[in-house]
Amino acid sequence: MAVKGILEAIARFIEKEHILSCKEDLICYSSDATYHNAMPDVVVIPEEKREIIQVLRFANSERIPVTPRGAGTGLSGGALPVRGGIVLATTRLNRIIDIDESNLYAVVEPGVITASLHSEVEQRGLFYPPDPSSLRVCTIGGNLGHSAGGPRGLKYGITRNYVMGLEVVLPQGKIINTGARTVKSVSGYDLTRLMTGSEGTLGVITKALLRLIPKPEASMTFMAFFDSISLAADAVVGIIKKGILPTSLEFMDGTTIKAIIQYKSIELPEDADAALLIEVDGFESEVKRQAALLMDVLHGSGARGIHSAKDKTEMEDMWNARRMALPALSRIRPSTILEDATVPRHQVPIMVRAIQGLSIKYDIPIGIFGHAGDGNLHPTILTDVHDKDEMEKVDKVIEEIFEIALSLGGTLTGEHGIGVSKARFLKKEIGEEGIRLMRAIRNIFDPNGIMNPGKIC
């Protein structure tokens, strides 16, 4: 159908100011945090579930692709309209409907900003642990679509561990409700888990029932530096073996440390080959006990320059240094490609050394940071996407990173999702039969193939 026809049809049930079709507006919805681009024909920004139902019914009847989108902070191209059609932005569905303090859950719409939910529940002494790095701008819908993780994943898990139920509009405009408001529910297939992480390929989430936990009483934050990556890796293993389960256990390599220093003139040891940022939380007495054990492990692992945050300001300073990793690295070259290959924790040093070897082999700078505690590393390739010859080398680097991760018992993605950027590699992880089964499941939900085509499989 021509764009004019799409606009006329959608205007029957959505106000015209929330339908975008001029080029300048469409460009804003043609990219995410990757270097990929794809232009939609139309952008629709509904405010109510009934509008989403009508958009999907129309699109399904006309075989028009629909790409659900949150804030566009994704790192796998999952929200890009690679086949054109309609981008369905859920940012106006942004209500926190209910926070149940007795039963420990929140009911929210997909456009709620993650940090806003954190703030609301913490005012009530509660805690929603998932904390993707983009939490100040990303939305719950996007988090659900990719089952987002973050630094607290080591102790608390990722988004799917906090989803009790969902309301989803299927491509035909029908509604399903999954899960329950009870602590336990094993009724039938786990459709909640299937939808969480499906990247908008099975339907559009319009409401989420999210599990909350009591807010930890206290926390302590530490930063330690090492003369080698091996020493830092030994410390990671030693911390876990000691029975300490940190809230966060973050890693930065020497390249990243130097970039941060140059970016903000922060006082970090420029000659350090690695750094760990560690946070523990819980009851105050337990935090103090963990902190004492942690200091023993760090000293025994050869750490130097161990700093313990004395107050909230110092804690924020430490975390700000870690959060600066990506913007600091991104200043070195015109383009930045951030990956998230993930390996078993004990394989982290092997993976880091392998990535450093690829950097030398292909003469392309790569900074490495990430969540060492759960093996989720972010190799950050510094390049220029307009340099065709260099991008051919970058493609080889990415392919080898994934091959190495899989050979070490790892996975293609720990938190960014498959999207469009990793779809060609998925068969290497789950095999031909796995791809066939996933496509069959997708076809049951979406027989006309309108939902986020070109993604995952």
Side-chain angles (χ1 to χ4, degrees), residues 155-187:
K155 180 174 183 178
Y156 291 108
I158 58 178
T159 297
R160 68 161 49 100
N161 302 120
Y162 295 88
V163 186
M164 298 170 64
L166 298 169
E167 177 185 81
V168 183
V169 181
L170 300 178
Q172 303 83 3
K174 297 178 181 179
I175 297 173
I176 61 168
N177 288 280
T178 74
R181 298 184 183 224
T182 55
V183 175
K184 296 183 289 185
S185 174
V186 292
S187 300

Side-chain angles (χ1 to χ4, degrees), residues 98-228:
D98 184 27
I99 297 174
D100 190 315
E101 299 177 43
S102 299
N103 292 297
L104 297 179
Y105 65 72
V107 182
V108 306
E109 291 182 326
V112 171
I113 294 173
T114 307
S116 298
L117 178 61
H118 284 182
S119 177
E120 286 294 323
V121 301
E122 287 174 20
Q123 289 176 24
R124 295 165 168 79
L126 300 175
F127 192 42
Y128 178 68
D131 62 333
S133 296
S134 56
L135 63 90
R136 290 183 176 87
V137 289
C138 68
T139 62
I140 292 295
N143 295 175
L144 293 166
H146 292 85
S147 194
R152 294 198 288 240
L154 171 60
K155 180 174 183 178
Y156 291 108
I158 58 178
T159 297
R160 68 161 49 100
N161 302 120
Y162 295 88
V163 186
M164 298 170 64
L166 298 169
E167 177 185 81
V168 183
V169 181
L170 300 178
Q172 303 83 3
K174 297 178 181 179
I175 297 173
I176 61 168
N177 288 280
T178 74
R181 298 184 183 224
T182 55
V183 175
K184 296 183 289 185
S185 174
V186 292
S187 300
Y189 294 132
D190 194 343
L191 296 178
T192 303
R193 296 274 288 197
L194 179 61
M195 286 290 176
T196 307
S198 62
E199 302 185 26
T201 61
L202 304 179
V204 178
I205 295 169
T206 51
K207 196 181 295 181
L209 179 67
L210 303 176
R211 182 167 71 94
L212 307 175
I213 62 175
K215 184 180 178 181
E217 180 180 271
S219 66
M220 292 186 72
T221 306
F222 303 82
M223 185 172 278
F225 298 90
F226 299 83
D227 291 326
S228 74

Side-chain angles (χ1 to χ4, degrees), residues 202-438:
L202 304 179
V204 178
I205 295 169
T206 51
K207 196 181 295 181
L209 179 67
L210 303 176
R211 182 167 71 94
L212 307 175
I213 62 175
K215 184 180 178 181
E217 180 180 271
S219 66
M220 292 186 72
T221 306
F222 303 82
M223 185 172 278
F225 298 90
F226 299 83
D227 291 326
S228 74
I229 288 168
S230 295
L231 291 175
D234 289 342
V236 171
V237 174
I239 289 167
I240 303 301
K241 283 186 174 180
K242 198 72 171 179
I244 306 167
L245 187 60
T247 313
S248 305
L249 182 44
E250 300 289 288
F251 166 84
M252 296 181 288
D253 73 347
T255 299
T256 304
I257 294 169
K258 291 181 180 66
I260 292 171
I261 294 169
Q262 294 169 4
Y263 180 49
K264 284 291 184 181
S265 300
I266 294 177
E267 292 185 10
L268 302 176
E270 193 168 353
D271 61 338
D273 197 42
L276 293 179
L277 175 63
I278 310 155
E279 188 168 293
V280 292
D281 69 5
F283 290 110
E284 189 167 355
S285 59
E286 176 61 17
V287 168
K288 289 179 179 179
R289 188 187 75 84
Q290 289 187 77
L293 292 172
L294 184 61
M295 293 296 285
D296 288 343
V297 173
L298 291 174
H299 284 300
S301 299
R304 63 180 174 89
I306 305 171
H307 302 283
S308 172
K310 297 180 178 62
D311 52 35
K312 189 172 182 179
T313 300
E314 287 194 6
M315 179 195 74
E316 279 300 317
D317 288 343
M318 290 182 183
W319 274 106
N320 283 335
R322 162 62 180 84
R323 293 185 187 112
M324 287 175 193
L326 182 56
L329 288 167
S330 68
R331 296 186 68 200
I332 297 174
R333 296 291 309 281
S335 309
T336 304
I337 299 174
L338 179 67
E339 290 296 348
D340 77 319
T342 305
V343 296
R345 188 183 300 118
H346 71 285
Q347 301 283 26
V348 165
I350 297 174
M351 189 72 211
V352 170
R353 284 193 289 269
I355 295 168
Q356 292 176 326
L358 293 175
S359 177
I360 295 169
K361 176 181 175 181
Y362 290 101
D363 190 27
I364 294 176
I366 304 175
I368 310 169
F369 62 93
H371 321 305
D374 54 30
N376 186 191
L377 297 175
H378 295 308
T380 306
I381 303 167
L382 311 177
T383 184
D384 182 353
V385 297
H386 301 294
D387 185 331
K388 183 179 178 181
D389 293 336
E390 185 164 283
M391 285 305 295
E392 288 180 359
K393 293 196 294 182
V394 168
D395 283 342
K396 292 177 182 177
V397 170
I398 292 172
E399 185 169 1
E400 289 195 39
I401 285 174
F402 293 147
E403 287 176 349
I404 294 165
L406 294 176
S407 73
L408 295 174
T411 180
L412 296 174
T413 173
E415 58 188 8
H416 293 171
I418 294 296
V420 66
S421 61
K422 299 182 183 182
R424 63 191 172 110
F425 302 112
L426 186 57
K427 184 167 65 175
K428 292 184 177 183
E429 180 169 348
I430 69 173
E432 288 275 8
E433 192 60 21
I435 294 289
R436 186 200 66 76
L437 183 58
M438 288 179 66

